[in-house]
Amino acid sequence: MTDLSHAIELLRPPQVLFGVGMLERLPDWVASRGFARPVVIADPVNAARLERLGLGDVTCFAQVVAEPDIENLEVARAAAAGADLIIGFGGGSAMDLAKLVAVMIGHDMPLSDISGPGRAPARKVGLVQIATTAGTGSEVGTRALVTDPETGAKVATESPHMLADLAILDPELTVSVPPHVTAATGIDAMAHCVEAYTSKRAHPVIDHYALEGIRLVERYLARAVADGTDREARAGLTLAAFYGGVCLGPVNTTAGHAVSYPLGTRWKLAHGLANALIFPHVLAVNAPACPEKTRAICAALGIADDAPERIRDGAKEFCGNLGLDMRLSEHGVDAESLPVMAAEAHRIRRLLDWNPVDLTKDQILQIYNEAF
């Protein structure tokens, strides 16, 4: 764990609009900067409500899929040719594709030439991110993930050039999110905070964002699941997701996300749900390596912290009380695939190397078995 003597860099969009009604400021922002050819990157659900953007008859790529792959990216890139502004409108998948499309427009480069840290070229177009779920925090981040269909692995790209010019966090856009999606994305936001808080790269500057994000999820998630029109709860979760996004920049996630990734790439489980299924198990296995921080997490969530098994069971109960079935077997996962997934997860060193416990393939397999 680092201390205040260690340097840290926080990058955020130069303008962040947070609060109910902030989406109404988008048209004036676009006009004031002279953008004439905006293209929206959205999933089908959000593409059906483009009128909320107030931009009139705007061009939209409406085929963003959950767990997007390189093919989905390339189709989006072709659809956005000629744009001078890219607008990501949706959850993490839409916003990640928007980032990548924005840095690829005007550059004849495949994803393989820009993936990894610091390789993406400078943007030639504007970029706006509008979050419609309270989970990924992608709207304020510099990373994007897509799946390579040949390997089944996620390809990560990170660059300050993928930082949005404007991020809009309007909780009103999340009111229509169904209860089960609200629950899963809320746990994803919390997982971002927990993993950054317990990472080997953890930093006091980020710790405060992380712990407050965890507290916000505990305070508001059950309320939003029970009543999607609870505006205060929706705003609280939107803020928690924002804090999680802040944590991702300089610190990032660790084993929880690494172990959850094969559930998305192999079984097409939604990112939030995959993280929710794994979260209790990684929290418990990491507890002996970071007892003080685990106690703070457990105190924030109101769960017992005296033994890893009780921590795991308490975290599972927290998620289960939100209506999530916490068994992999109930989400179509095949037991025979668990050893293969353990090997796949173990290769994600960019995350696992910063986990407080150096997990072996057998330990990852044990996590899958316990979650099954």
Side-chain angles (χ1 to χ4, degrees):
M1 305 293 179
T2 57
D3 57 37
L4 283 172
S5 66
H6 287 76
I8 189 171
E9 181 180 20
L10 276 73
L11 297 175
R12 300 183 199 168
Q15 188 172 4
V16 176
L17 301 179
F18 180 98
V20 172
M22 281 299 187
L23 183 59
E24 297 174 3
R25 293 178 57 178
L26 176 64
D28 286 345
W29 185 92
V30 172
S32 69
R33 282 153 181 79
F35 291 118
R37 301 182 306 280
V39 172
V40 179
I41 307 293
D43 56 83
V45 171
N46 285 294
R49 55 174 182 169
L50 289 180
E51 75 282 354
R52 299 288 297 271
L53 302 181
L55 297 177
D57 187 16
V58 65
T59 301
C60 178
F61 172 76
Q63 284 80 48
V64 175
V65 300
E67 301 294 329
D69 59 14
I70 295 175
E71 181 179 356
N72 198 209
L73 167 63
E74 289 299 336
V75 176
R77 177 185 185 180
D84 62 359
L85 173 66
I86 299 298
I87 301 173
F89 185 41
S93 295
M95 292 188 288
D96 278 10
L97 284 193
K99 291 175 189 175
L100 291 168
V101 168
V103 295
M104 296 174 86
I105 286 179
H107 300 281
D108 187 19
M109 304 171 71
L111 180 65
S112 58
D113 283 356
I114 70 169
S115 60
R119 300 177 67 210
R123 278 193 285 113
K124 295 184 177 182
V125 300
L127 177 61
V128 173
Q129 299 282 30
I130 304 170
T132 64
T133 63
T136 67
S138 181
E139 63 274 8
V140 295
T142 59
R143 289 187 184 88
L145 298 171
V146 292
T147 301
D148 183 342
E150 293 186 4
T151 64
K154 285 185 179 284
V155 178
T157 304
E158 179 181 3
S159 170
H161 299 308
M162 295 199 299
L163 196 66
D165 299 307
L166 170 68
I168 300 178
L169 296 87
D170 189 333
E172 191 69 28
L173 290 170
T174 70
V175 167
S176 61
V177 177
H180 69 283
V181 178
T182 298
T185 54
I187 296 299
D188 184 32
M190 182 172 67
H192 293 159
C193 294
V194 168
E195 291 175 48
Y197 189 53
T198 57
S199 170
K200 289 179 181 177
R201 285 193 289 199
H203 193 285
V205 170
I206 294 301
D207 285 353
H208 292 284
Y209 288 103
L211 194 54
E212 183 60 19
I214 296 165
R215 290 169 176 157
L216 285 166
V217 171
E218 190 282 330
R219 181 176 180 182
Y220 290 116
L221 183 53
R223 281 175 51 177
V225 169
D227 179 6
T229 65
D230 185 335
R231 264 64 177 184
E232 181 184 5
R234 290 296 191 183
L237 293 177
T238 299
L239 183 58
F242 170 75
Y243 285 165
V246 172
C247 292
L248 294 181
V251 178
N252 207 11
T253 55
T254 56
H257 274 62
V259 176
S260 75
Y261 280 164
L263 297 175
T265 56
R266 183 172 289 273
W267 295 102
K268 304 307 178 186
L269 268 65
H271 177 74
L273 176 60
N275 276 291
L277 293 168
I278 298 302
F279 164 70
H281 304 276
V282 173
L283 177 65
V285 79
N286 284 341
C290 44
E292 183 177 343
K293 287 194 168 184
T294 302
R295 281 193 293 272
I297 295 166
C298 290
L301 298 179
I303 62 179
D305 65 350
D306 55 347
E309 295 79 10
R310 286 174 61 83
I311 292 170
R312 181 193 64 214
D313 293 345
K316 285 179 66 176
E317 183 179 4
F318 180 89
C319 297
N321 287 341
L322 300 168
L324 298 174
D325 193 316
M326 296 299 289
R327 296 169 294 176
L328 297 182
S329 57
E330 293 301 307
H331 298 282
V333 179
D334 187 338
E336 293 181 356
S337 71
L338 300 185
V340 177
M341 292 198 305
E344 290 174 352
H346 190 257
R347 289 195 290 268
I348 307 176
R349 304 317 309 176
R350 66 182 180 85
L351 302 184
L352 286 178
D353 285 347
W354 300 104
N355 196 61
V357 174
D358 185 12
L359 295 178
T360 66
K361 280 189 287 187
D362 287 343
Q363 286 174 307
I364 295 173
L365 179 58
Q366 183 178 351
I367 288 173
Y368 285 139
N369 284 324
E370 290 174 349
F372 192 76

